[in-house]
Amino acid sequence: MLAKRIIPCLDVKAGRVVKGVNFVSLRDAGDPVEIARRYDEQGADEVTFLDITASSDQRDIILHIVEACAEQVFIPLTVGGGVRKVEDVRRLLNAGADKVSMNTAAVQNPDLVAEASAKVGSQCIVVAIDAKQTSPGKWEVFTHGGRNNTHLDAIEWAKQVAALGAGEILLTSMDRDGTKNGFDLALTRGVSEAVRIPVIASGGVGNLQHLADGVTEGRADAVLAASIFHYGEYTVKQAKEFMRSRGIEVRL
Amino acid sequence: MTTVAVVDYGMGNLRSVAKAIEHVAPTAKVLVTADPAQVAAADRVVVPGQGAMPDCMRQLGERGLRQAVIDAAANKPFLGICIGLQMLFEHSEEGDVPGLGLFPGQVRRFPEEAMFATDGSGSRLKVPHMGWNGVEQAEPHPLWHDIANGSRFYFVHSYYVEPVSPEVITGSTVYGIPFTSAVARGNIFAVQFHPEKSAQAGLALLGNFMRWSP
């Protein structure tokens, strides 16, 4: 049976991991390549880099990071942040990324999703959706890191990007992100059951039960987390052992 | 020094494949190449591939690599990955195109409607089949050496091969339905999953390929 995936996510700014990572015996707490390798060793199923570099003249740094990563890390790598055009997608894939995630650009120009998936294949295109609850049972899509409400219905938008050719959805609850209160399970389930492509749940993980809930209650195909892994609270292996104890199929 | 040609026909990133081979065989010379002469001269040949089968077949033809791949599959250690497996068959439902026809059989799409609607475990099966799934080895093979039966590998695909001859099936996987995830015949070994993205199990398989004397 297909395993549910656990995906650590690293925020990278100008080639360095934001806030650093606190593992035992890590040489450089800010080196994304070394950290990705450690997650590979722990049994992570994939790694995601979110490039939050603001200045355009530092944008190419991520390409070098991805190249170095491809030489040392032999699990899938997804890279997102600042992807505006098909050429950005192609450069990241050529550097060694397996999937490229797009968010704001997809909302501004939905054709980009269609064009990119036609060029490089749906399996390489992830659409990231940042959603906030606006009324009971209703979530809307936000862009620019949650500042800008697009007034798109999150579930309808998910269906639309799937129809355009996205291969996967990375769904983040802006209400839960950073709270450690767990995923927005109603949102996750709503999106996961509305589309036929895999959905990665994100935003709000504070403990291992939250990861399991994302799969069992939220029906997510994969769960993404950052801080619980970065600060050494839990290893990926512990997370998988916990999920297995809850009857969830994992790669251990 | 062993040379291995990673056949570049313009479909996707081959860097990961090349780097994974270099990792397991540091003394080998790994050439990512679109030159039929280099493919012909190499000791071992790897044919990766991602994207759509019709595009792959067209690119293979336009770049003059079709015969080089057929020749390699006839006479040297040959590893097909993903589309590099599917293209060995007679025909694909994807775009209704012919493959190289080295293995009798078809490439079919997962029955999406049925899989999405009915799944006993409660969760719905998505297409593409994306993630880590187990591979049951049909029989011992040098490329399975030191890889536990049932080990998980990384898959990402919507189509699967259906060989006519069951004796070529060396690996099987279940995703809603059982499907063939690896075939072997003589000097050919080909897999649906991505060994270059399958952590230790994948590296072990690539290492076995580099040591293989069929």
Side-chain angles (χ1 to χ4, degrees):
Chain A
M1 231 171 95
L2 186 65
K4 299 298 178 182
R5 289 170 279 153
I6 294 188
I7 308 173
C9 177
L10 300 168
D11 285 353
V12 180
K13 189 173 185 180
R16 303 287 296 169
V17 175
V18 177
K19 288 190 278 187
V21 166
N22 178 24
F23 288 160
V24 183
S25 76
L26 199 61
R27 273 189 304 115
D28 178 352
D31 176 6
V33 179
E34 187 184 359
I35 295 164
R37 202 174 64 225
R38 292 290 293 267
Y39 279 131
D40 180 359
E41 286 165 9
Q42 286 184 13
D45 296 308
E46 297 180 20
V47 172
T48 291
F49 288 166
L50 182 60
D51 183 21
I52 57 169
T53 307
S55 74
S56 54
D57 56 343
Q58 292 183 313
R59 278 243 163 263
D60 285 353
I61 296 173
I62 192 72
L63 295 172
H64 303 303
I65 301 290
V66 171
E67 280 176 6
C69 206
E71 290 174 14
Q72 301 177 37
V73 182
F74 302 103
I75 55 174
L77 173 67
T78 301
V79 184
V83 174
R84 296 271 174 273
K85 41 190 197 295
V86 174
E87 184 54 25
D88 298 334
V89 173
R90 198 193 298 276
R91 288 171 67 190
L92 284 165
L93 293 176
N94 285 342
D98 297 284
K99 297 184 251 186
V100 172
S101 148
M102 48 181 76
N103 185 340
T104 302
V107 172
Q108 289 172 342
N109 175 20
D111 286 346
L112 177 63
V113 178
E115 203 188 328
S117 60
K119 283 253 166 62
V120 302
S122 286
Q123 77 283 353
C124 301
I125 303 300
V126 181
V127 172
I129 299 177
D130 291 346
K132 246 187 218 182
Q133 189 163 7
T134 50
S135 61
K138 174 147 177 87
W139 297 266
E140 290 182 338
V141 178
F142 284 66
T143 58
H144 300 87
R147 294 191 302 279
N148 180 29
N149 187 356
T150 66
H151 300 292
L152 287 167
D153 179 83
I155 292 173
E156 289 307 313
W157 174 237
K159 287 187 196 168
Q160 193 186 336
V161 298
L164 286 167
E168 191 167 53
I169 288 170
L170 168 54
L171 178 67
T172 302
S173 161
M174 301 304 285
D175 301 306
R176 297 301 180 91
D177 205 24
T179 65
K180 294 194 166 256
N181 288 333
F183 296 120
D184 183 334
L185 296 172
L187 167 68
T188 306
R189 187 165 183 152
V191 171
S192 192
E193 293 191 338
V195 296
R196 300 180 180 199
I197 55 176
V199 173
I200 305 167
S202 159
V205 175
N207 60 47
L208 301 183
Q209 184 64 47
H210 292 154
L211 292 174
D213 290 344
V215 170
T216 55
E217 306 289 318
R219 300 280 166 92
D221 300 282
V223 287
L224 179 140
S227 58
I228 66 159
F229 297 133
H230 297 340
Y231 306 125
E233 289 167 59
Y234 304 100
T235 63
V236 173
K237 186 159 183 281
Q238 286 172 321
K240 288 189 165 183
E241 283 164 351
F242 180 85
M243 287 171 79
R244 175 175 279 180
S245 77
R246 293 297 183 272
I248 297 169
E249 192 83 11
V250 291
R251 175 177 72 105
L252 258 175
Chain B
M1 185 172 55
T2 297
T3 58
V4 51
V6 178
V7 181
D8 178 10
Y9 52 101
M11 293 304 292
N13 160 48
L14 307 182
R15 191 180 155 80
S16 300
V17 176
K19 292 296 166 191
I21 296 169
E22 285 171 6
H23 188 82
V24 296
T27 60
K29 188 175 175 194
V30 182
L31 294 169
V32 175
T33 179
D35 178 358
Q38 283 191 327
V39 176
D43 299 309
R44 293 165 195 274
V45 171
V46 178
V47 180
Q50 51 174 266
M53 176 99 163
D55 295 337
C56 287
M57 296 315 296
R58 197 184 63 244
Q59 290 288 341
L60 206 59
E62 283 175 7
R63 290 163 187 250
L65 284 161
R66 187 188 168 94
Q67 195 57 44
V69 169
I70 292 172
D71 292 345
N75 62 24
K76 58 184 77 169
F78 180 101
L79 178 63
I81 298 172
C82 194
I83 301 286
L85 159 72
Q86 296 180 6
M87 70 165 59
L88 302 178
F89 285 77
E90 289 170 300
H91 178 265
S92 176
E93 285 183 0
E94 187 175 20
D96 191 22
V97 291
L100 297 175
L102 304 178
F103 284 80
Q106 300 288 315
V107 184
R108 299 203 187 280
R109 188 172 171 89
F110 280 115
E112 195 164 351
E113 296 296 326
M115 292 167 69
F116 190 68
T118 57
D119 165 51
S121 72
S123 73
R124 300 171 180 200
L125 299 177
K126 310 287 181 79
V127 176
H129 172 221
M130 185 190 286
W132 299 79
N133 208 336
V135 175
E136 292 301 322
Q137 301 163 15
E139 64 202 23
H141 186 285
L143 265 71
W144 295 132
H145 180 67
D146 274 348
I147 299 172
N149 196 11
S151 291
R152 289 178 187 276
F153 292 85
Y154 186 78
F155 289 84
V156 49
H157 64 123
S158 301
Y159 293 80
Y160 62 94
V161 299
E162 202 175 73
V164 168
S165 325
E167 59 270 24
V168 303
I169 300 170
T170 187
S172 304
T173 297
V174 176
Y175 188 59
I177 52 168
F179 70 93
T180 297
S181 50
V183 300
R185 189 184 69 202
N187 58 304
I188 301 174
F189 197 92
V191 295
Q192 181 59 64
F193 51 82
H194 290 268
E196 76 281 11
K197 291 291 164 185
S198 296
Q200 288 312 312
L203 294 175
L205 189 140
L206 292 172
N208 289 339
F209 173 70
M210 293 304 291
R211 287 184 291 272
W212 184 30
S213 318

